[in-house]
Amino acid sequence: PGFVEGTGWQYAFMVPHDVDALIDLHGGPEPFLEHVEALFTAERFTVFNEPDLAYPYLFTYLEEQAHQTQREVRRALVEHFGDGPDGLEGNDDAGTISAWYLFNAMGFYPVTPGLAEYRIGSPLFEQVTLHLPHGATFVVDAPGNDEDSTRVGSMTLNGELLDAPTLPHDAITAGGVLALEMVPGE
C-alpha cells in the first residue's frame, strides 16, 4: 500500500538528484554499498521499472566500485534484451526502456535528469560513433570489448585520463573520443 509499480525497498534509492545525501543518510559509503549490493543480490533491481533505471550507477558514486556498475549494466543488457519479437520484456513506457538500452549499449547513462553529465558503464560495442548536427562526431572506442571483457580498466576523454566514471554532456556535443580500455569482467 502506498507504492505504485514498486516497493519501499525500490523507492528507497530513488534519489537521483542527491546521491551524496542518500549515501550520508545510509550512514556513509560502506553501509550504502552494503545496501546497494543487497538490492542486486536479492534481485530487487528491475530493469523494466522506471524507479530502478539508475540503480546500477549508484556504485559509481563510491570509490573503486564502478566495476559493479559495469557488471550489472552488462548483465541487464545481455539477459533482458534481444533482437527478436520478444526482445523487450514488459512495457516500453513511451520509449523509456528503449532509451535506457541505447544509452547503456553506448556505454553511458544520464543518471540525474537535468544534470549535464552521464555516468560511464560498460558498452556493448567496440565502437559507437554519434554524428552530431554541426558536423562533429563523438566516438566511444572500446577495442577488445566482448562477452568476456566487460569491465572498464581505464577511461580517457580526448586523450586525457578520467579520474571518475563521469562524462560531461558538453564533451559529447563538442565531439571527441571517449576511449575505454576493456578488461575481463568478474
Side-chain angles (χ1 to χ4, degrees), residues 16 45 57 66 72 84 110 144 158 168 171 175 181:
F45 167 66
Y57 289 89
E72 296 303 335
N158 301 323
E181 174 199 21

Side-chain angles (χ1 to χ4, degrees), residues 66-68 70-71 74 121-123 125-126 141-155 179-186:
H67 65 281
Q68 294 202 66
Q70 296 152 13
R71 180 190 64 231
R74 184 63 73 96
S122 178
F125 308 105
E126 285 193 285
D141 192 26
N145 188 9
D146 59 28
E147 62 188 33
D148 296 320
S149 297
T150 61
R151 188 172 173 177
V152 176
S154 67
M155 307 165 282
L180 305 174
E181 174 199 21
M182 302 305 292
V183 297
E186 295 176 5

Side-chain angles (χ1 to χ4, degrees), residues 31-56:
F32 182 73
L33 176 60
E34 290 175 16
H35 288 121
V36 177
E37 287 175 333
L39 175 78
F40 287 94
T41 301
E43 298 182 359
R44 290 187 167 124
F45 167 66
T46 307
V47 72
F48 300 102
N49 193 17
E50 281 89 345
D52 294 18
L53 294 180
Y55 290 0

Side-chain angles (χ1 to χ4, degrees), residues 10-67:
Q10 290 169 305
Y11 282 103
F13 296 94
M14 182 58 182
V15 189
H17 56 282
D18 198 352
V19 176
D20 292 332
L22 183 62
I23 291 168
D24 290 342
L25 186 63
H26 279 82
E30 289 183 30
F32 182 73
L33 176 60
E34 290 175 16
H35 288 121
V36 177
E37 287 175 333
L39 175 78
F40 287 94
T41 301
E43 298 182 359
R44 290 187 167 124
F45 167 66
T46 307
V47 72
F48 300 102
N49 193 17
E50 281 89 345
D52 294 18
L53 294 180
Y55 290 0
Y57 289 89
L58 293 173
F59 293 112
T60 65
Y61 290 86
L62 302 166
E63 193 171 324
E64 303 295 323
Q65 296 302 319
H67 65 281

